[in-house]
DNA sequence: ATCACCCATGTAATCGATTCCACGGCTTGA
DNA sequence: TCAAGCCGTGGAATCGATTACATGGGTGAT
């Protein structure tokens, strides 16, 4: 592969001049510029990003460590992150933590070793010492979706309080009283917040949220299945199961189906996160939609602000309730996607 | 961030010795090794991967350019690729082409600029001059899922012929005669193959595949919607719509629903690609499952074989029919996931 | 005409690693 | 006892870029 030296030789100039042309430095004669450009073309030369990064100490690359790529919510997030980054001249390296802290740390370390310019992370746990350390050393960093409390790092996320309140109001109006929740890991902020918001909303409607109606999940389908089976085997099963993410809702659906029960006649389902498939499940699922695309873009902008020395901004956007027919709504089902 | 020089100074040895310790070169005294290791620890030193890559001319990174991250099939593929690569000591940088050749080329170029050790690609079109060029220059490369004919590059893919044949037999047995297909882009191998296999299977059953029953899609949900609308407005609409990928099946479902029709009573649906959600759509969708995980792993192994100088191997694995109830099957629906 | 400055360019240092080569001290075999 | 070899080590070249500094010629002001 041709190097800058080859180009210099071919153009009959020094490597410095070639570099100047490539970086559009003003002080190059039109003649030299022309010869360099021709040589670049003739040799199909492309600058070696590795060498350039070593010298300039910047890679124009962002790292994104997400909790689970197979979760459509995170996939969508990753996609919007990559798009915005590309638009701003950065590349993105994605690391999939699979909800496992060790794997998260592995990726963080690898990304740091590659000297990425900044890190976008949605922490799998609430306590990563490594992440705390990275933050302390001053690596540009932004939390997306989930965050770690007590660290002075911008957070870009959706706030589900209002939407969850709307959901509970909606369910209450439909006559449901026994509402259960499949919670996310307590170690994640999103895991906690959604349970808390749910509990508050219930209280506001004078409803109790007994411990038996709080199932501990881990944002994976299997846990949704397991928790739902437990709910169903209770002497008095809930009327509605609210899953704190879309995968656990999938698991809940599995469990209900395995019992030969019907949604919403026998039991209702609602989910946090809205995905295109929720329109087509049997029945379409009432869900809380996050502005995923905007979250990804805002996160990238915040991170690049830090990288380029501007003051970053935390962003919180509202989530919103999308009513369909999985909770016994009478409507000839409807509900749109993002 | 501490460099090898800092470590050398702290340990009272030269950088050469530090490097030897780090690369477990045999010829280092236990004493020196101990001091170096202590210094590494004390400084929290991590070798700069950028510098190392520049010198060794290898990045231990693979590039993966896929057609569409939002497609669950490709997401699953990407995940298994990353896992296998990690297990073998490589990182993966994913580029999302979004089915757009220019964007694919952008990613290929960026990856090459970063001097990735090898490239895994599922070409968005059948003719990328850039890809051809890259192949010619000897960059280690393997095609996954889709490929470009006439290039001497290993291909790892699933063969759907048998499964499509099984599908048509299945549909024929259910009494369906008017079968339509939403094809993928003609520029992709998978796009073509699936139509061809479908046509062959129909012919084998003495059925015709009129042009009106071949809709041109692009593997995106919207095209599935559009094509299905067209099918439905035909004087004699098909009894079954077979979508060549899961997103177009989603679109088809949308279109059918928008018309107020029911599946499978009014029209049946089948899809290439199986995804967890197909179990829960209304009704569960009969689909053709690919061994996605194994495909990803095999592709990585083939690529690393090339990178490390071993002879690579093309791999073709069979896809298989998963019968559910979207085509009017009488069964009290069933069907498993991968 | 002279000085000062600017412009285009080249030389060389530098980034952080790896690795070839040289060197000194020891061991080993003759 | 001496040559040969090995072992642990350090010095320095190298990878491919960027960039500070030096240089020489040209231009404009006085």
């Amino acid at each position: 592969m041709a190097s800058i030296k080859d180009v210099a030789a071919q153009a009959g100039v020094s490597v410095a001049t070639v570099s100047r042309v490539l970086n559009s430095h003003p002080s190059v004669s039109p003649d030299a510029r022309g010869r360099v450009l021709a040589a670049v073309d003739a040799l199909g030369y492309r600058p070696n990003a590795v060498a350039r990064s070593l010298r300039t100490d910047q890679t124009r690359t962002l790292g994104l460590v997400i909790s689970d790529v197979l979760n459509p919510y995170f996939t969508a997030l990753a996609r919007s992150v990559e798009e915005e980054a590309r638009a701003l001249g950065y590349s993105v390296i994605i690391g999939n933590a699979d909800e496992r802290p060790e794997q998260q740390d592995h990726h963080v370390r690898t990304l740091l070793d590659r000297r990425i310019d900044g890190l976008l992370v949605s922490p799998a746990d609430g306590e990563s010492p490594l992440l705390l350390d990275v933050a302390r050393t001053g690596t540009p960093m932004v939390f997306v979706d989930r965050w770690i409390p007590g660290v002075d790092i911008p957070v870009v996320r959706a706030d589900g309080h209002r939407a969850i309140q709307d959901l509970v109001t909606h369910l209450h109006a439909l006559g449901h009283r026994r509402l259960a929740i499949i919670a996310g890991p307590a170690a994640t902020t999103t895991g906690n917040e959604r349970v808390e918001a749910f509990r508050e909303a219930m209280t506001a409607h004078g409803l109790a949220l007994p411990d038996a109606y709080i199932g501990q999940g881990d944002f994976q389908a299997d846990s949704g299945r397991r928790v739902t089976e437990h709910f169903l085997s209770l002497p008095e099963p809930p009327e509605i199961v609210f899953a704190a993410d879309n995968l656990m809702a999938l698991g809940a659906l599995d469990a209900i189906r395995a019992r030969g029960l019907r949604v919403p006649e026998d039991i209702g389902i609602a989910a946090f996160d809205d995905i295109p498939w929720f329109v087509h499940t049997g029945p379409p699922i009432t869900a809380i939609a996050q502005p995923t695309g905007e979250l990804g873009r805002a996160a990238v902008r915040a991170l690049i602000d830090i990288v380029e020395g501007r003051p970053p901004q935390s962003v919180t956007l509202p989530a919103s309730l999308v009513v369909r027919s999985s909770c016994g709504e009478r409507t000839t089902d409807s509900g749109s996607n993002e």
Side-chain angles (χ1 to χ4, degrees), chain A:
Chain A
M1 204 157 263
S3 86
I4 197 172
K5 271 188 211 153
D6 304 316
V7 176
Q10 169 101 6
V13 298
S14 74
V15 294
T17 300
V18 176
S19 177
R20 289 195 187 95
V21 172
L22 264 33
N23 295 284
S24 39
H25 183 100
S27 180
V28 176
S29 68
D31 173 55
R33 155 169 286 108
R35 296 215 311 284
V36 168
L37 260 18
V40 163
D41 220 61
L43 297 172
Y45 168 76
R46 304 230 81 214
N48 182 329
V50 173
R52 191 201 295 257
S53 295
L54 176 60
R55 184 62 236 256
T56 61
D57 201 35
Q58 47 160 334
T59 49
R60 292 199 76 82
T61 301
L62 270 22
L64 169 64
V65 178
I66 54 180
S67 325
D68 180 11
V69 248
L70 294 190
N71 185 325
Y73 165 71
F74 284 113
T75 314
L77 190 68
R79 180 216 159 102
S80 69
V81 163
E82 197 272 335
E83 279 187 350
E84 183 74 2
R86 181 152 34 84
L88 297 173
Y90 285 76
S91 297
V92 175
I93 304 186
I94 303 173
N96 174 31
D98 231 353
E99 303 286 3
R100 306 218 306 267
E102 337 82 64
Q103 199 161 311
Q104 163 181 291
D105 285 0
H106 165 87
H107 282 119
V108 170
R109 249 188 284 268
T110 311
L111 291 168
L112 256 33
D113 287 352
R114 307 197 157 207
R115 298 305 192 264
I116 46 153
D117 292 341
L119 189 61
L120 231 43
V121 38
S122 163
D125 58 339
E127 272 288 307
S128 171
L130 173 62
L131 238 32
L132 262 31
D133 218 61
V134 172
R136 212 171 306 115
T137 63
T139 305
M141 188 163 150
V142 166
F143 288 129
V144 228
D145 184 59
R146 310 178 185 174
W147 79 99
I148 298 180
V151 192
D152 184 28
I153 292 238
V155 179
V156 174
R157 65 187 190 99
D159 181 8
H161 277 83
R162 183 50 177 273
I164 289 179
Q165 206 171 299
D166 290 349
L167 172 66
V168 172
T169 303
H170 168 72
L171 296 174
H172 188 267
L174 289 171
H176 300 302
R177 296 296 177 267
R178 300 197 309 279
L179 315 182
I181 183 169
I182 310 177
T188 61
T189 46
T190 47
N192 283 321
E193 277 182 354
R194 291 171 195 174
V195 180
E196 283 322 309
F198 191 65
R199 188 196 310 277
E200 278 170 34
M202 301 264 302
T203 307
H205 283 84
L207 300 176
L209 180 57
D211 283 350
Y213 281 5
I214 306 180
Q216 192 55 57
D218 60 7
F219 284 142
Q220 298 290 312
D222 253 345
S223 70
R225 204 169 340 232
R226 207 170 43 240
V227 169
T228 304
E229 272 158 19
H230 168 72
F231 284 157
L232 293 175
S233 67
L234 250 28
E236 193 170 46
E239 295 160 305
I240 298 286
V241 173
F242 171 48
D245 88 336
N246 70 82
L247 293 181
M248 297 193 297
L250 175 63
L253 230 35
D254 272 347
I256 292 170
R257 224 159 146 273
R259 281 258 185 156
L261 299 176
R262 289 154 313 154
V263 177
E265 293 84 352
D266 300 313
I267 187 164
I269 277 203
F272 204 101
D273 289 346
D274 191 24
I275 61 172
W277 299 102
F278 279 173
V279 179
H280 297 290
T281 45
I285 295 181
T286 292
I288 291 175
Q290 299 194 50
T292 324
E294 192 42 49
L295 285 175
R297 287 188 289 273
V300 169
R301 285 193 297 261
L303 183 56
I304 293 185
D305 278 345
I306 306 182
V307 170
E308 300 183 351
R310 292 182 295 272
Q313 225 177 331
S314 283
V315 175
T316 304
L317 300 171
S320 59
L321 178 64
V322 178
V323 174
R324 297 207 179 87
S325 49
S326 59
C327 297
E329 292 87 346
R330 249 154 262 157
T331 53
T332 42
D333 63 49
S334 75
S336 64
N337 285 304
E338 206 208 320

